[in-house]
Amino acid sequence: MKVTVNVECTPEEARTFLGLPDVQPLNDYMMNAMQERLAQNIHSMQPEEMLKNWSSLGVTAQDQFFKLMQSAAQASLKPFSTGK
């Protein structure tokens, strides 16, 4: 035997019936906190600030890459030792 039951209710009514917690206040709090952080950090999203941060990282990465290539080139110039 197969029985089908259709229940029409709002999400709040379903949550209450099933004993699930109401997370709307938590969701509101989290959204407000995210909006405040975004408003506080909006200056870092300005193109000038982004380029300044990226360029400083780029110079450091470029220097490290240059040192890596330089050490690899020096290592390739050393004669191989056969261990004999």
Side-chain angles (χ1 to χ4, degrees):
M1 176 167 52
K2 185 176 181 179
V3 177
T4 302
V5 178
N6 293 326
V7 178
E8 290 186 25
C9 63
T10 65
E12 183 179 335
E13 292 170 337
R15 223 180 4 256
T16 303
F17 178 75
L18 295 173
L20 299 173
D22 182 13
V23 294
Q24 188 62 40
L26 178 61
N27 185 46
D28 293 339
Y29 174 80
M30 294 298 292
M31 290 303 295
N32 288 334
M34 289 174 58
Q35 287 174 347
E36 287 175 13
R37 283 189 182 182
L38 180 62
Q40 290 171 356
N41 296 323
I42 197 74
H43 67 77
S44 66
M45 297 180 73
Q46 299 297 327
E48 297 87 13
E49 290 292 323
M50 292 172 73
L51 285 175
K52 188 170 80 174
N53 290 336
W54 291 349
S55 65
S56 68
L57 291 175
V59 171
T60 305
Q62 184 179 5
D63 288 342
Q64 289 178 349
F65 181 73
F66 180 72
K67 288 177 184 177
L68 174 69
M69 290 295 116
Q70 191 175 29
S71 64
Q74 289 174 353
S76 68
L77 294 177
K78 292 182 182 177
F80 291 104
S81 66
T82 59
K84 292 182 181 178

